[in-house]
Amino acid sequence: MIVPIKQIVSRAHKNKYAVGAFNTSNLETTLAIVRAAVSQKSPVIIQTSESAIHYSNLQTIFGIITSVANSIGKSVPISIHLDHGKDLGLIKDCIKIGYNSVHIDASEKDFATNVFLSREIGSLAHKKGIWAQAELGSILGKEGLVKLETGEINMKDLLTDPLQAQEFVALVKVDTLAVAVGTIHGSFQGIEKVDERRLQKIRSLVNIPIVLHGGSGLSVQMFKQAIKNGVSIINIDTNLRLAFKEALVKSLKPDSDLIDPRKILEPSTKAMQAEVEKMIKIFGSNNQA
Ligand code: G3H
Ligand code: ZN
């Protein structure tokens, strides 16, 4: 059932487990996330990127998530979050339609602009009684990885500075903080790692829940250590995309006579559900609903 995100995250923060924030853009992924949450008796956050909203439109994807959450998922707490919001108009639309939390990602801007925008969205969100997430530091994607490999950029320069994070949080007054501690958007096993000392330092200076982005590609050990060091929300997108594609390629042979989209997509939905269940167990949010 859809609940305020505070209900989900405050408990995780207090009891030292993490809640998975899983990206969706369609019915099948939403079904997979909600079925996994129910089977594991776990709270979950379901999040949409801006491009996921553009894929269908805001009302459609919001309607899919709320109706699946309030029917199939009625026994577990579920919140809807906007992931990496950069378009102020769209962020405001998400607040208006009923999202439980919005991410204002102004991390590419200079510090003062990031503070200004994050504070503005934080106050708008609070007027509606919902949460806001801000971001400090640069979380790389595939393109950034290429620049890292060529030496054009240095990972150390992109990571969140703990003292700056302390100052930032005091100024912006948001509810959760996305930090850059070495993870990368996408799955790059062996390359991604978490700078645990930095995370510990941030945790000691910042007392709002910390969000680990770029979760796909991390090992079980890395997840567990990051949770021990104070992460309360872990974002997962690519792991579900990989599970979807792998199952589809395996099940849909070129000479297959399947034409029913439901049958074609069933193995992918099941594979994504299994992936979410695996993550939930690692994060320790199972049996916390
Ligand atoms: O905001 C979304 C996430 O940080 C997902 O990252 O694709 O590496 O799991 P991921
Ligand atoms: Zn992210």
Side-chain angles (χ1 to χ4, degrees), residues 146-245:
V146 176
K147 289 188 187 161
L148 264 189
E149 283 165 352
T150 58
E152 214 177 306
I153 52 173
N154 184 337
M155 183 61 107
K156 272 229 154 90
D157 302 333
L158 310 169
L159 302 184
T160 308
D161 176 66
L163 284 171
Q164 202 179 41
Q166 183 184 32
E167 185 191 356
F168 182 71
V169 167
L171 289 170
V172 297
K173 298 184 178 66
V174 289
D175 309 282
T176 57
L177 180 69
V179 293
V181 287
T183 57
I184 300 168
H185 285 131
S187 180
F188 305 102
Q189 285 163 25
I191 298 173
E192 300 185 67
K193 46 184 176 291
V194 179
D195 182 340
E196 296 295 345
R197 291 196 28 201
R198 184 178 298 266
L199 186 56
Q200 277 172 10
K201 185 87 184 140
I202 297 171
R203 170 76 292 151
S204 71
L205 297 169
V206 167
N207 66 358
I208 59 172
I210 291 173
V211 187
L212 186 69
H213 278 249
S216 304
L218 296 186
S219 66
V220 175
Q221 167 69 15
M222 285 173 187
F223 281 129
K224 294 205 163 163
Q225 195 57 41
I227 296 166
K228 228 183 228 165
N229 285 329
V231 163
S232 305
I233 299 175
I234 301 178
N235 282 15
I236 299 286
D237 185 2
T238 307
N239 278 358
L240 303 195
R241 296 177 179 210
L242 292 172
F244 181 96
K245 184 180 171 188

Side-chain angles (χ1 to χ4, degrees), residues 52-71:
I53 291 171
H54 295 314
Y55 174 68
S56 54
N57 86 32
L58 181 56
Q59 221 176 337
T60 307
I61 192 69
F62 181 76
I64 288 173
I65 300 169
T66 46
S67 68
V68 175
N70 287 331
S71 55

Side-chain angles (χ1 to χ4, degrees), residues 19-45:
V19 176
F22 300 98
N23 287 76
T24 188
S25 57
N26 62 10
L27 173 65
E28 285 69 26
T29 311
T30 308
L31 284 173
I33 299 166
V34 173
R35 285 173 182 159
V38 171
S39 87
Q40 294 306 306
K41 301 185 176 57
S42 169
V44 278
I45 297 166

